[in-house]
Amino acid sequence: DFFAENMFSYSSVSFQGEPNDSVKLMTADGMVAECEFAAAQAISLVRDGGCRWRDIAVCAKGFDDYRLPLESAFSRFGAPIYTARKADMLSKPLPMLIESAYEIILGGWEADDVFDYLRTGFGGLDTGECDELENYVFMWQLHGSAWTRAENWRLHPEGYGKQPDEASEQTLEHINLLRETARRPLMRFDENASAATTASGQAQALASLFEDLHLADKLQARAEELEKDGRAAAAQEYAQLWDITVGALEQCAAV
């Protein structure tokens, strides 16, 4: 208390009680060294001081600058850490997937919406496949009914004036396979959402989309990858987003 009250005081007042080592003044070579010292101190407090992890707090001015080196240091030292932060929820892959799916079916299957949906990583295509499909789509400015009609795309994958050959036919077959992989769950979602007349029906339509995408398994796999990379907070965030989403659907259905 004395230290907190007089830290910025320039008076001559001094502490009159019994000295102790509860407050220490240290110097470090840089931010990384500071964070490593904090991690080492936390481990010592738990191992030798009888503390629990939740009893320990690390505070820093301008904490956003410290966040990554602090999380990295605690991860290397094998110590758990939770860093509080404010985040734009709609920028996260799961909320973005939901928002983009509705933008697609309500907005006329615009290419930008389709690729926002696919770029979340949960729409059935990996990054390379998204790039390949996107290059073709923007080359030929395909949107709307180009996505929803049953016929395969037949435009040459290399652009105007090119003659089809065996290689281009194989490329085109692959592009159509990517298109079908991307659109099939969305087509079913469009049908189910259009037929729904209640909030419960909409919740069921969205839940069916999640099942078609095997979303729960993909989220778990992504969380496990993040955990292995030492990004425990991000892994926990994925689990929390899934729980929040499922809870919201259940509430919509109940209401």
Side-chain angles (χ1 to χ4, degrees):
D1 291 341
F2 179 85
F3 179 77
E5 291 172 1
N6 294 278
M7 181 168 55
F8 298 109
S9 172
Y10 295 95
S11 66
S12 59
V13 62
S14 60
F15 181 63
Q16 301 300 319
E18 291 293 324
N20 60 65
D21 60 355
S22 60
V23 177
K24 296 179 180 179
L25 182 64
M26 312 292 292
T27 61
D29 292 335
M31 187 181 294
V32 172
E34 290 180 59
C35 295
E36 290 176 344
F37 176 77
Q41 287 294 103
I43 292 173
S44 177
L45 287 169
V46 171
R47 182 183 298 159
D48 305 321
C51 284
R52 296 169 296 181
W53 293 113
R54 66 183 183 182
D55 296 329
I56 302 168
V58 181
C59 303
K61 183 179 180 180
F63 190 75
D64 283 342
D65 295 332
Y66 279 86
R67 186 187 310 281
L68 289 179
L70 194 63
E71 289 176 347
S72 176
F74 271 69
S75 176
R76 290 200 309 275
F77 282 41
I81 186 171
Y82 169 74
T83 54
R85 70 184 75 187
K86 292 182 179 179
D88 180 6
M89 295 294 287
L90 290 179
S91 69
K92 304 300 179 182
L94 179 52
M96 186 178 292
L97 177 90
I98 297 169
E99 181 183 20
S100 299
Y102 276 108
E103 290 286 350
I104 291 166
I105 66 172
L106 298 176
W109 289 74
E110 292 296 329
D112 287 339
D113 295 331
V114 173
F115 287 103
D116 283 346
Y117 163 89
L118 293 174
R119 292 290 181 190
T120 64
F122 299 125
L125 304 184
D126 62 28
T127 301
E129 292 169 334
C130 281
D131 290 341
E132 187 174 358
L133 186 61
E134 188 172 23
N135 288 338
Y136 184 87
V137 166
F138 281 99
M139 177 191 300
W140 293 108
Q141 293 296 300
L142 301 172
H143 57 88
S145 62
W147 286 94
T148 58
R149 64 173 179 256
E151 295 81 6
N152 282 341
W153 290 336
R154 296 303 308 159
L155 297 167
H156 199 289
E158 295 179 15
Y160 286 108
K162 301 292 183 179
Q163 295 300 314
D165 55 22
E166 185 177 350
S168 68
E169 287 299 313
Q170 289 178 351
T171 300
L172 193 56
E173 182 180 354
H174 181 59
I175 287 172
N176 277 302
L177 179 62
L178 298 180
R179 170 195 180 233
E180 187 62 22
T181 301
R183 82 186 191 108
R184 190 186 305 117
L186 287 167
M187 293 286 287
R188 283 196 288 265
F189 175 55
D190 193 352
E191 182 179 351
N192 292 333
S194 297
T197 57
T198 63
S200 178
Q202 287 293 337
Q204 184 57 55
L206 201 52
S208 296
L209 174 65
F210 294 166
E211 291 175 4
D212 286 343
L213 295 174
H214 306 287
L215 191 56
D217 293 337
K218 289 178 181 178
L219 284 166
Q220 183 177 351
R222 179 76 64 86
E224 289 173 355
E225 289 175 6
L226 292 168
E227 190 78 40
K228 288 179 182 178
D229 291 342
R231 300 171 62 188
Q236 185 181 23
E237 191 174 77
Y238 271 87
Q240 290 173 337
L241 281 171
W242 176 247
D243 289 342
I244 290 169
T245 301
V246 172
L249 290 180
E250 290 173 345
Q251 288 180 39
C252 286
V255 170

